[in-house]
Amino acid sequence: MKKIIIANWKCNPIKKNQAEKLFSSVKRGVTNIKKIELVICPPFVYLSEIASSSNIKLGAQDCFWKDQGAFTGEISAKMLKDLKCKYVIIGHSERRFHFKETKEMINQKIKAVLSNGMIPILCIDQINQIKENLSVINGKKMKKIIIAYEPLFAIGTGNSCSIKQAKKTNESIKGILGQDSVVLYGGSVSSKNAKDYIFKANFSGLLVGSASLNASEFVEIVKSIS
Ligand code: PGA
């Protein structure tokens, strides 16, 4: 199976032309890379500018579970589907912390992403969140969910998780969801440590925050895996 590398731009960059520039630099840098599923998750407002191309897929950083209606400020999973998103990040720790997302909300969001034919990337920092955040999802659909293990201490700190601990958690997640489940690592990934999470800790891919805002660093990460 192809390794998956996901860029989570979070609330960056400020200007549309900066987003376009970042995207085109990454696109240029990865032209010849074939064996990796590369995904960019920009802020919602840039989704239409950054059309998905054959070697870069489009993802969103969150979604709302209802299709449409009187829900001021929300962006529905159905709308994201229409914009050709293939993936949606759900339950990122920043959403849980700043926006008080609960396990009930996360369950609903995962359900909405699946029912619109997209792939949810559920972010967790503790094993028990798997059960809590997927309690309304049944057996067959579970296979479609990607888990991103993102330990809190490692997010945006430069203090990445040790390969040993990451490997152990990866094995525990697979013990629950099955050996064929797709588990990513996220938290201070850089071009220096990326390959160890893949080749030593056996993750199926990476969720990259800060380093994805620097096109050359991000391309280096991709190249170190391919
Ligand atoms: P980071 O963010 O790479 O900046 O640590 C990862 C994430 O929050 O997904």
Side-chain angles (χ1 to χ4, degrees), residues 1-72:
M1 200 192 152
K2 273 184 179 177
K3 299 293 179 209
I4 306 173
I5 302 187
I6 302 176
N8 176 11
W9 286 3
K10 307 191 181 185
C11 188
N12 299 290
I14 289 172
K15 295 189 172 169
K16 192 174 88 171
N17 68 339
Q18 294 170 323
E20 283 164 350
K21 202 168 154 218
L22 176 57
F23 178 69
S24 54
S25 306
V26 170
K27 197 171 166 181
R28 226 178 303 119
V30 300
T31 332
N32 295 320
I33 301 211
K34 298 213 166 58
K35 279 183 261 148
I36 300 221
E37 173 87 340
L38 200 54
V39 185
I40 293 190
C41 301
F44 291 129
V45 288
Y46 303 139
L47 279 169
S48 326
E49 311 297 328
I50 298 171
S52 74
S53 63
S54 57
N55 66 341
I56 303 185
K57 303 288 184 274
L58 204 54
Q61 300 173 16
D62 181 34
C63 73
F64 184 53
W65 56 86
K66 297 267 192 191
D67 290 349
Q68 60 177 39
F71 304 103
T72 304

Side-chain angles (χ1 to χ4, degrees), residues 132-171:
E132 281 179 11
N133 296 164
L134 299 175
S135 59
V136 301
I137 313 299
N138 67 30
K140 219 170 153 196
K141 287 197 165 159
M142 287 290 270
K143 292 279 164 218
K144 301 212 164 93
I145 298 165
I146 293 180
I147 303 289
Y149 169 54
E150 297 211 307
L152 287 187
F153 64 82
I155 298 180
T157 57
N159 181 20
S160 59
C161 183
S162 72
I163 299 300
K164 199 172 157 200
Q165 190 196 322
K167 186 169 189 238
K168 207 167 143 216
T169 310
N170 186 10
E171 283 159 6

Side-chain angles (χ1 to χ4, degrees), residues 110-143:
I110 297 267
K111 227 171 130 182
V113 172
L114 287 169
S115 64
N116 281 287
M118 297 178 290
I119 302 170
I121 299 154
L122 172 65
C123 298
I124 61 161
D125 80 297
Q126 283 162 27
I127 297 286
N128 66 346
Q129 288 169 329
I130 296 179
K131 208 169 154 207
E132 281 179 11
N133 296 164
L134 299 175
S135 59
V136 301
I137 313 299
N138 67 30
K140 219 170 153 196
K141 287 197 165 159
M142 287 290 270
K143 292 279 164 218

Side-chain angles (χ1 to χ4, degrees), residues 6-8 10 89 92-94 123 148 150-151 154-159 185-190 207-212:
I6 302 176
N8 176 11
K10 307 191 181 185
I89 298 172
H92 190 282
S93 60
E94 286 151 14
C123 298
E150 297 211 307
I155 298 180
T157 57
N159 181 20
Y185 170 79
S188 297
V189 171
S190 70
L207 181 49
V208 187
S210 334
S212 72

